[in-house]
Amino acid sequence: MAVSDPIGDLITRIRNAQMRHKSKVSTPGSNLRSRVLEVLKSEGYIRDFASIEHANGRSELEIELKYFDGEPVIREISRVSK
């Protein structure tokens, strides 16, 4: 399934996983998403992320979410369009 807004999809997946207190969340892999995740990691909002290659040539990004005292480090995240 093609996603028309990959950054919006990434943000929604992170937000939904944190509402459920998940430790990890996965998303389809792409260079754009990897770059956004690199910024989130360098700023301390996520623990880490890794690219997982599947046999059929499809890639996935697995994101380790970060919590402090049981609360998500990311308090609010949204897509802002100009």
Side-chain angles (χ1 to χ4, degrees):
M1 178 171 101
V3 177
S4 61
D5 184 12
I7 301 303
D9 178 62
L10 173 67
I11 290 170
T12 299
R13 287 173 187 256
I14 290 172
R15 185 184 320 113
N16 289 343
Q18 285 188 327
M19 285 192 311
R20 299 285 183 220
H21 295 285
K22 301 284 185 180
S23 62
K24 293 183 180 182
V25 64
S26 62
T27 184
S30 74
N31 288 333
L32 178 63
R33 291 177 196 219
S34 293
R35 301 289 184 214
V36 170
L37 290 172
E38 283 177 15
V39 172
L40 289 175
K41 181 181 175 185
S42 69
E43 294 294 325
Y45 290 109
I46 62 173
R47 286 197 190 281
D48 203 2
F49 69 97
S51 180
I52 300 169
E53 300 294 328
H54 294 284
N56 60 1
R58 191 174 57 89
S59 69
E60 218 174 51
L61 294 169
E62 188 173 86
I63 307 160
E64 289 183 53
L65 301 173
K66 192 173 184 179
Y67 294 90
F68 182 75
D69 289 338
E71 293 297 318
V73 172
I74 302 173
R75 297 180 191 264
E76 183 179 334
I77 187 169
S78 63
R79 173 82 157 118
V80 178
S81 180
K82 292 185 177 183

